[in-house]
Amino acid sequence: MTHLQVNGQTRKVDVPDDMPLLWALRDELGMTGTKFGCGISVCGACMVHIDGQPVRACVTPVSAAAGREISTIEGMEADRIGQVVQQAWAENNVAQCGYCQAGQIMTAVSLLKTTPAPTEQQINDAMSGNICRCGTYPRIRAAIEQAAGSLVSGGRQ
Amino acid sequence: MTATVRLSRRAFLQGSLGVLTLAVTSSGLVSAARAADAEAPKYGADSMPGGTVDDPLVFVSIAEDGTVTIVAHRAEMGTGVRTSLPMVVADEMEALWERVEVVQAEADEGRYGNQNVDGSRSVRHFLMPMRRVGAAARQMLEAAAAARWSVPVSEVRAVQHEVLHEPSGRRLGFGELAADAARQPVPTADALKLKAREDFRYIGKDKVRLVDLEAIGKGEAVYGMDMRLPGMVYAVVARPPVVGGKLRKFDGSKALTVPGVLKLVEIPAFQGAPAFQPLGGIAVVARNTWAAIQGRDALEIEWDDGPNGSYDSVAYRQELEAASRVPGKLMRDQGNVAEAWAKAPEAERLAAEYYIPHLAHASMEPPVATVRIEDGRAEVWTSVQNPAAAQAAVARRLKLEPGKVKVKVLLLGGGFGRKSKPDFVDEAAIVAQAMPEGTPVKLVWTREDDIHHDYLHTVSIERLEAVIDGSGQVQSWLHRSASPTIASLFVEGAKGQQITESAMSAINMPYVIPNVRVETAEVAAHARIGWFRSVANIPHAFAAQCFIAELAHRAGKDHRQFALELIGPARRIDPGMMADTWNYTESPERYPYDTGRLRGVIEAACEGAGWGRELPEGHGLGLAFCYSFMSYTATVVEVKVDASGEVQVVAVDMALDCGPQIKPERIRAQMEGGAIMGLSLALASEISFENGRVRQSNFHDYEVLRHQASPRVIRTHLVNDDHELPPGGVGEPPVPPVAPALCNAIFAATGKRVRSLPVRTVA
Ligand code: FES
Ligand code: FES
C-alpha cells in the first residue's frame, strides 16, 4: 500500500512500486484530469507538480512520489496562481480539443511560480516540452502573458 | 421537480408521466433539397448517410423553468461544433444562451441526420437545418402565446426567452409557454420565417463561450480516454508490425505472470482490404493500463510479415519518381499538352518534382474505446468522429442489430481524420466479447501504437511540367501525381488516385492556360492510407503552389501579380468544366469555383503581410493559396533563414473566405491551428518505413511543432462574411497553403528551392 498526498489529501493505492504515477492517478484514483499523451516524457500531457516542481507523471514511479506533495490539475482551482492561469486560459479561448491543456496549464503555473514575469524566451523554454497538436501555442503564450500581467498587478505571492 | 416539455415523439409514444408532449402529425420539416425530385442527383448533406434532420422535436426541449436543452448531434474534436450548432438553434429561437444546456447525442443517424464529423461539413451541412430547427421552435412558442392571449400571431414575437405582445405589453417566458408550444403543430417548411441577418444575436458574433471551456481548464472534461466504469478492465494490443502481417505463433506465459494481467485475447487479422477492420494480434487484458502495457512487453510473438514486409520508404520514393516520369491515367485533358511541350524550346520548359512523406495524425489523445456487452446489447463509450461507423462495426462484430449498440460520444482529444475509422472500437468489442458478460473493457492505444499503426496520410511525388513563353505566359501545364490512393483501403490492390483525390487541387485548377493535362500514376499501397486533415490538397497544393512561384520567378514577375494573372478575372467556373464531377459532393450550381473569391483571399493575405515591403537580411515572404472544402484560403509566411540554414517562421498571415461566418473566434482558432499543423508537416514530421515497419514510434522521432518553433505572430483575415453564399468548410482548408507558402518564403529569403518535406534545414 502506497500513501500519496494528492492536492492536500492522503490517498492510498495498492499498486506495484514501479507503476508510473500517471496510471495510479488515472486508473486507481480516478483522477483523469492528468492526461496520457506519450508515456515517455516527451509531450507534457501528464504534467503534475511534486513538492512544487513540474514533473511528468508518466515516468515518475509511485514510489518516488510517495510521501511528497503532489498537485494535479484538479487542485489548481484552490491555488492562487492556478486560478489566475485557468482564468487567463478561458479568457483567451485557448483550448481547441483541450486534451493537452491540463498539462499546459500545469507547466505554465509552475513557470509563473518561479518566474512571475517571464520573458518570451523563458516562456518558450518552459513550454516547449508540452505539445499541442491542435496548435494553440499563440493563445497559450497570450494567456501566460496575461496571467503574468495580472499576477504582477495583483501583488506578490 | 421540473417537468420537462420534451418535444419528442419517443416520449409521446411512451406517454411518460410528468412529461408533456406534443401531438405531431407530420414528421417535422423536410428540407427543400430532400423534398426535391427523388430522381435528381443528391448533393451535399443529402448524399450523406442519414442526410439532414431539421425537426425541432428531435433537437429542442424546454423545461418549465425555461431551461432550453439543445442536442449537439455531432462530436466535438476541437472545432467548436458542440457549441456552434446549438448556438445557431438558440439564436434562431431567441433563446438566451445562459439558459441553454447542450446535450450530446448518441449515435443515431436515423434520428439526427448525418453525424460524421469529417470533411469539414458540420456547419456546411447543418447551418440551415439548425436555423430551421430554431425558427420552428420560436414559431411554436409564438403560436402558443398568441393562442393563450387570443391575439393574431402576427402581433406577437419572441425576444430573448420571452414572447411579447407589443400592443398590450403582455409577455410570457419560454418556460411558461413550453407546454402549450409543444401542442402546436410544427411549422411546414414554407411557413418558416428565418431571422434577417441583422437580427442575429449570436451568429457571426463572439458572445457565446464554448460549452466545454471551463471544464477543460479544470481537468474535468471527459474524453474517451477518461471513461471509467465499475469493474472496468483495460486492454492493449500487440499488432502485426507490418500491414497485412499475421500471427505465426506466440508464447504468452510470461505475460500472464505480470501482476494485474488477467487474460490474453487473440484479435483476428483483417481479410481482404483493410477498411476499418482491426489489424489483428494479441490483446492483453489487465486490471489497469500499466499492467496491460507491461504484459504486452512480456509477450513473445513471431509474426508472418506478408507481402508488405519489404516496404521501404527510400526505395518507394524512387518508385514514385520513376512513375511520375511516364504517362499515367488521364484525369483531365484540355488542349494538347504533349504537342505544346514537344514544340517548346528547352528554355521555355520547366519541370519539377515535389515530395511529401507519409504523415501520422497523432492527435494528443490516442485512439481509445470502452465497450460493455450485456443482455444481447452493447454499450460503447468512445471519442470518434463517426459514431455511426463505430456502431456498425460493433454490430457487425457482435452480430447485433445496430439498434442494440449504443454509442455514447465523449470529447475527442483531437481527430484530424484518424478517428473517423473505428478499428479500435471493433478491437474493444472483440475483447469485451471474450470477457465475462457485462465486463466493461477499455482498450487503449499507446502513442507507439498510434504512430506504428495509423491510417497514414499518403506519400507522394507530384511532377509538374509547364511551358512558359518569352512573355511570361504559361502555355501548358501537366500535373502528374504518383501517390498511393485511399481507395486501397477499401478495394484490395486499388491503384491511382480517384476523382475524390484528384479533385482536391489537382484537376480543379482554374488557371488561364490553354493546354492542361492531369494524370495519376498507378502505384500500389503498402500501408493503410487514410485521410488526414485536408487530405490530397496537401501534396497537390504544395506542388502546384511552389511551381507557380517557380514559374513567376522564371517569368521575372512578382509572385502575387503573376498568380493573379494566372487566375484571371473574377468568374464562376462550373467544376465540371475542369473535369471535376465530384465537387466535394456539392452541387456545381450552388458551389461553383469562384475565382473572384480566390483573388480576394490572396489580396487579403498579402495586404495583411505587407507584401512587397522592404525586409531585413535573411528574411523572405512566400505566398500560396488553395480552394478546398468549398472555402478559399491564402497564406503568406515570413521566414528568417540564418547562415547555418536554420529556418525560423517569423509571421504567418492566414486569409479565409468560407462564406457566412458563424463563430468567427472559432474560425480564427482553426486558422491558427491549421497554420501550426501546416508548419508541422512542412518543417518536422515524417513517417518512413523500413522492412515494412514504421521507423518512428513516439513524439521524439515523429516530430511536430512545439512552442519554441511556433511563429510569434499568426494574423487571421476573414474575408467575405456573406450569408447569401452557401457555407464553406473551416476545419481543413487552412492547412494546404501553409507548406508551399513556407517554401516560397525560403526561396525568397535564400534563392534555394526546397521541393521535399520536411524542410528541417536549408542546405
Ligand atoms: S504522457 Fe507524460 S510526457 Fe507525455
Ligand atoms: S488543444 Fe488539442 S492538443 Fe492542445
Side-chain angles (χ1 to χ4, degrees):
Chain A
M1 199 63 79
T2 310
H3 292 250
L4 296 174
Q5 280 289 119
V6 188
N7 301 329
Q9 290 188 334
T10 305
R11 311 285 302 263
K12 283 184 241 172
V13 287
D14 183 12
V15 298
D17 276 356
D18 64 346
M19 180 189 278
L21 177 62
L22 173 67
W23 301 115
L25 288 170
R26 291 182 54 83
D27 294 354
E28 304 296 323
L29 298 177
M31 300 179 70
T32 55
T34 305
K35 297 297 191 237
F36 167 57
C38 70
I40 62 163
S41 187
V42 293
C43 81
C46 64
M47 198 67 84
V48 297
H49 302 165
I50 296 184
D51 290 343
Q53 296 300 309
V55 163
R56 284 141 198 269
C58 69
V59 290
T60 306
V62 284
S63 55
R68 301 165 69 187
E69 288 288 335
I70 304 163
S71 318
T72 70
I73 187 70
E74 288 92 343
M76 283 303 106
E77 241 188 309
D79 180 288
R80 191 178 73 91
I81 294 182
Q83 219 179 63
V84 171
V85 171
Q86 280 172 327
Q87 197 182 331
W89 242 251
E91 282 171 16
N92 285 276
N93 292 301
V94 171
Q96 287 186 32
C97 83
Y99 191 81
C100 73
Q101 299 298 343
Q104 306 275 5
I105 288 172
M106 294 304 288
T107 307
V109 169
S110 124
L111 167 68
L112 292 175
K113 286 194 174 181
T114 53
T115 317
T119 62
E120 191 175 300
Q121 191 57 44
Q122 285 169 322
I123 294 176
N124 275 335
D125 290 347
M127 300 305 298
S128 284
N130 284 75
I131 294 174
C132 175
R133 188 61 166 145
C134 296
T136 62
Y137 302 131
R139 295 194 192 202
I140 288 174
R141 205 174 283 138
I144 292 175
E145 281 161 6
Q146 181 184 319
S150 62
L151 285 169
V152 168
S153 62
R156 305 183 77 81
Q157 203 182 339
Chain B
M1 199 185 90
T2 314
T4 298
V5 181
R6 197 172 288 282
L7 298 178
S8 119
R9 171 178 302 276
R10 194 175 31 161
F12 173 66
L13 293 174
Q14 286 165 348
S16 331
L17 258 178
V19 178
L20 305 161
T21 56
L22 176 65
V24 233
T25 50
S26 90
S27 62
L29 312 169
V30 179
S31 73
R34 286 171 95 194
D37 182 2
E39 297 298 302
K42 285 190 156 69
Y43 292 120
D46 297 308
S47 67
M48 299 293 295
T52 60
V53 168
D54 53 10
D55 184 346
L57 311 181
V58 167
F59 286 95
V60 179
S61 52
I62 308 171
E64 278 182 355
D65 70 356
T67 302
V68 171
T69 301
I70 302 175
V71 173
H73 73 295
R74 296 172 76 83
E76 180 61 74
M77 61 171 165
T79 62
V81 69
R82 207 168 108 85
T83 304
S84 323
L85 289 177
M87 181 195 86
V88 168
V89 174
D91 193 332
E92 273 290 355
M93 75 179 280
E94 275 292 310
L96 284 172
W97 186 251
E98 306 80 74
R99 303 184 67 186
V100 168
E101 272 174 19
V102 174
V103 294
Q104 189 69 34
E106 294 178 4
D108 190 349
E109 290 193 336
R111 181 168 171 79
Y112 301 108
N114 188 266
Q115 295 180 284
N116 184 3
V117 185
D118 208 6
S120 299
R121 287 187 289 244
S122 287
V123 167
R124 196 166 106 218
H125 288 175
F126 283 92
L127 171 63
M128 293 315 291
M130 290 302 113
R131 287 191 63 189
R132 293 194 292 268
V133 163
R138 165 173 38 81
Q139 287 174 237
M140 290 160 81
L141 287 157
E142 288 170 343
R148 182 91 64 92
W149 293 321
S150 304
V151 301
V153 77
S154 58
E155 288 181 7
V156 308
R157 67 192 174 93
V159 182
Q160 300 205 295
H161 238 82
E162 291 180 327
V163 180
L164 301 185
H165 181 242
E166 272 167 11
S168 67
R170 281 176 291 186
R171 56 183 68 212
L172 283 166
F174 279 9
E176 295 166 282
L177 288 166
D180 286 357
R183 282 188 283 272
Q184 292 292 326
V186 175
T188 55
D190 52 2
L192 278 182
K193 295 189 198 74
L194 297 180
K195 274 187 173 180
R197 182 180 175 172
E198 55 273 20
D199 295 330
F200 289 154
R201 293 185 192 279
Y202 305 131
I203 296 172
K205 311 193 166 140
D206 288 324
K207 291 186 184 160
V208 163
R209 187 164 265 203
L210 292 171
V211 291
D212 301 301
L213 193 67
E214 304 236 326
I216 286 170
K218 292 178 183 173
E220 289 167 0
V222 181
Y223 297 83
M225 190 60 86
D226 301 331
M227 190 59 208
R228 293 176 59 77
L229 288 165
M232 189 166 84
V233 297
Y234 300 76
V236 297
V237 179
R239 298 176 186 81
V242 178
V243 172
K246 300 209 164 40
L247 197 62
R248 189 175 286 144
K249 62 176 184 198
F250 80 100
D251 180 351
S253 51
K254 284 201 192 110
L256 286 165
T257 65
V258 171
V261 169
L262 301 168
K263 193 181 172 86
L264 306 178
V265 179
E266 193 169 334
I267 311 271
F270 64 85
Q271 303 289 320
F276 301 152
Q277 303 172 80
L279 290 164
I282 306 283
V284 180
V285 188
R287 286 192 202 288
N288 54 61
T289 317
W290 176 243
I293 293 171
Q294 300 282 98
R296 180 173 69 176
D297 287 348
L299 284 173
E300 288 167 19
I301 307 181
E302 258 183 51
W303 302 104
D304 177 352
D305 286 345
N308 294 321
S310 59
Y311 187 31
D312 179 284
S313 290
V314 175
Y316 193 70
R317 179 173 179 162
Q318 289 165 0
E319 197 181 318
L320 294 180
E321 283 166 355
S324 80
R325 290 169 195 162
V326 295
K329 191 175 143 216
L330 188 62
M331 303 301 282
R332 176 180 172 186
D333 198 18
Q334 170 190 314
N336 193 332
V337 163
E339 192 183 273
W341 181 264
K343 276 194 191 153
E346 189 58 41
E348 293 186 3
R349 293 177 180 175
L350 188 66
E353 290 168 10
Y354 303 87
Y355 178 73
I356 301 188
H358 284 300
L359 302 169
H361 303 79
S363 55
M364 285 312 291
E365 177 200 43
V368 59
T370 303
V371 174
R372 177 167 68 194
I373 306 166
E374 208 164 20
D375 299 332
R377 297 177 164 274
E379 287 171 286
V380 180
W381 295 262
T382 186
S383 34
V384 288
Q385 292 174 242
N386 189 352
Q391 185 182 40
V394 173
R396 207 178 308 119
R397 180 65 58 188
L398 304 177
K399 301 192 171 55
L400 293 174
E401 290 289 313
K404 303 261 187 206
V405 179
K406 278 196 172 300
V407 177
K408 295 170 193 168
V409 182
L410 304 173
L411 293 179
L412 281 70
F416 313 121
R418 168 63 182 93
K419 292 177 186 166
S420 55
K421 294 103 175 164
D423 54 324
F424 52 96
V425 187
D426 197 352
E427 289 177 335
I430 293 168
V431 177
Q433 203 177 19
M435 297 303 289
E437 167 121 1
T439 308
V441 174
K442 173 149 103 182
L443 187 136
V444 175
W445 283 44
T446 62
R447 179 60 58 197
E448 288 78 8
D449 298 338
D450 180 48
I451 301 293
H452 286 155
H453 305 296
D454 193 10
Y455 287 85
L456 297 168
H457 172 72
T458 192
V459 48
S460 60
I461 287 282
E462 306 285 327
R463 182 176 171 87
L464 278 294
E465 294 177 0
V467 173
I468 178 163
D469 67 21
S471 65
Q473 300 295 311
V474 182
Q475 296 299 341
S476 165
W477 172 281
L478 171 80
H479 183 161
R480 195 180 288 133
S481 298
S483 168
T485 173
I486 290 168
S488 61
L489 198 55
F490 305 104
V491 179
E492 242 181 312
K495 294 177 181 176
Q497 291 193 333
Q498 311 297 299
I499 179 125
T500 47
E501 292 160 315
S502 196
M504 289 189 177
S505 302
I507 53 174
N508 55 337
M509 56 74 127
Y511 311 130
V512 185
I513 300 173
N515 304 293
V516 175
R517 191 173 172 93
V518 180
E519 296 174 8
T520 173
E522 302 195 80
V523 292
H526 303 291
R528 296 199 293 185
I529 309 297
W531 44 99
F532 174 107
R533 189 178 184 182
S534 83
V535 203
N537 289 293
I538 294 172
H540 295 157
F542 175 61
Q545 293 296 309
C546 287
F547 196 58
I548 289 172
E550 296 200 43
L551 288 167
H553 180 70
R554 169 72 72 88
K557 289 190 189 174
D558 170 69
H559 180 192
R560 172 183 168 281
Q561 194 50 40
F562 182 82
L564 290 173
E565 283 167 17
L566 202 58
I567 292 164
R571 62 205 186 280
R572 290 153 66 92
I573 303 172
D574 175 353
M577 298 300 291
M578 301 183 291
D580 178 4
T581 52
W582 178 58
N583 202 35
Y584 296 88
T585 75
E586 302 292 351
S587 147
E589 287 88 36
R590 257 188 108 213
Y591 287 98
Y593 195 126
D594 188 331
T595 56
R597 294 174 71 187
L598 186 61
R599 296 178 68 99
V601 289
I602 293 170
E603 278 156 6
C606 287
E607 194 187 312
W611 186 261
R613 75 187 140 91
E614 214 43 58
L615 291 168
E617 181 68 23
H619 286 234
L621 286 180
L623 165 69
F625 49 90
C626 186
Y627 170 64
S628 67
F629 305 90
M630 325 339 277
S631 288
Y632 301 80
T633 52
T635 298
V636 174
V637 170
E638 180 177 351
V639 294
K640 176 183 170 198
V641 185
D642 69 17
S644 67
E646 190 84 25
V647 178
Q648 189 196 320
V649 181
V650 177
V652 181
D653 284 85
M654 303 284 291
L656 172 71
D657 174 355
C658 60
Q661 296 158 16
I662 306 313
K663 200 163 185 338
E665 183 276 320
R666 278 301 93 180
I667 299 175
R668 292 184 197 279
Q670 286 302 299
M671 293 163 77
E672 293 163 14
I676 301 284
M677 190 165 265
L679 291 173
S680 268
L681 70 91
L683 291 167
S685 304
E686 173 166 25
I687 292 288
S688 58
F689 284 80
E690 194 173 0
N691 297 321
R693 288 148 170 82
V694 171
R695 295 176 58 203
Q696 295 73 22
S697 63
N698 206 316
F699 287 121
H700 65 290
D701 52 7
Y702 182 68
E703 293 179 55
V704 298
L705 216 69
R706 292 170 179 270
H707 282 271
Q708 190 77 280
S710 164
R712 297 295 86 98
V713 179
I714 301 178
R715 285 177 292 254
T716 52
H717 311 282
L718 281 170
V719 180
N720 216 6
D721 180 13
D722 184 352
H723 278 263
E724 297 303 312
L725 291 168
V730 169
E732 292 168 273
V735 175
V738 178
L742 175 92
C743 289
N744 293 340
I746 291 171
F747 182 80
T750 63
K752 288 178 185 145
R753 176 52 63 181
V754 179
R755 298 195 185 90
S756 183
L757 298 184
V759 179
R760 296 203 177 101
T761 57
V762 180

